Amino acid sequence: MPLDTSSYSLALLRLDGRRWNELRRMHAQISTQAAADGSSYLEMGNTKVICTVAGPAEGRKAAGGGAGGGEAHVQVEIGIAGFSGVERKRRGRGDKRTSEMQTTISNAFSSTLFTHIYPHSLISINLHVLSQDGSLLAACLNATTLALIDAGIPMSDYIVSCTAGSTSSYSGNDESADPLLDLSGLEEQELPFLTVGTLGAGEKVSVMVMETRVQIGRLEGMLAVAVDGCKQVREILDQVVRRQGKRILQITTG
């Protein structure tokens, strides 16, 4: 018997049953790869990402290890599995969107990590995307934060990220359009959205990327919803870090 979806619009629910301000299920783990200096696994809905961190290590000059005025160079590489999305195709190293995400993540953490402690060294971040269902950049940023914490590289605070969108497209001049939190893959295909990353528990925005067009009057509401979502994400990541810290403490003392 098919699902009766007539009540969804009346209750203002989305296709997956969430309200406008609800996050998808989020699951994260730390220290998933024993061979890496730091590693993490993160799920945001059906978007699944593995992150590994190597370093700080002596950087080669070709990789920019000697640049940056005596500070560490943050290098990011993203690998997207061919089976991760609906279209089963493998993105090459020259893919434009992948390169943009790598640059965004590198710039965000270069300003957050205490890179001056490790002069002329290289911090290598490798992200492997296993499944895509929206909020890909946000998932990569959150997974990177956990992996860097696991590696013990000092930073000023967490970088946490979330997406927000609008219920009306750019062409539809709908003044009653509402903001949405944590968009899925289907919603990102139909609606304008932005990815926001905040530093710590406050409202300091360190990353904001928008790949679609939106009416300027809706931008403030979308940004406010995204910042509120980042606060919820930070609480989840903080619980993961504290749980791992308690487990390590029990192993060392017991």
Side-chain angles (χ1 to χ4, degrees), residues 43-73:
E43 296 180 5
M44 292 183 70
N46 290 324
T47 299
K48 303 175 183 179
V49 178
I50 293 175
C51 181
T52 58
V53 172
E58 184 178 356
R60 296 171 297 180
K61 291 184 179 180
E71 297 184 354
H73 174 70

Side-chain angles (χ1 to χ4, degrees), residues 136-149:
L136 180 58
L137 176 58
C140 289
L141 285 166
N142 294 330
T144 302
T145 295
L146 291 178
L148 288 169
I149 292 174

Side-chain angles (χ1 to χ4, degrees), residues 24-32 39-45 47-50 139 142-147 233-244:
R24 292 176 293 176
R25 174 186 175 273
M26 192 168 179
H27 170 72
Q29 294 178 346
I30 297 182
S31 298
T32 56
S39 59
S40 67
Y41 170 76
L42 184 130
E43 296 180 5
M44 292 183 70
T47 299
K48 303 175 183 179
V49 178
I50 293 175
N142 294 330
T144 302
T145 295
L146 291 178
V233 172
R234 188 190 186 281
E235 292 180 4
I236 296 172
L237 298 188
D238 192 53
Q239 291 174 6
V240 173
V241 173
R242 291 178 183 274
R243 193 183 308 122
Q244 177 70 6

Side-chain angles (χ1 to χ4, degrees), residues 138-202:
C140 289
L141 285 166
N142 294 330
T144 302
T145 295
L146 291 178
L148 288 169
I149 292 174
D150 184 44
I153 302 175
M155 64 177 74
S156 57
D157 211 326
Y158 293 25
I159 287 184
V160 291
S161 183
C162 193
T163 59
S166 175
T167 55
S168 179
S169 63
Y170 178 81
S171 58
N173 191 14
D174 185 6
E175 296 182 356
S176 61
D178 295 319
L180 298 175
L181 179 64
D182 190 15
L183 272 66
S184 64
L186 284 174
E187 290 171 334
E188 285 187 356
Q189 293 177 16
E190 300 292 335
L191 303 175
F193 69 97
L194 59 83
T195 302
V196 174
T198 59
L199 185 64

Side-chain angles (χ1 to χ4, degrees), residues 194-208:
L194 59 83
T195 302
V196 174
T198 59
L199 185 64
E203 298 183 354
K204 182 180 179 181
V205 176
S206 58
V207 176
M208 187 167 71

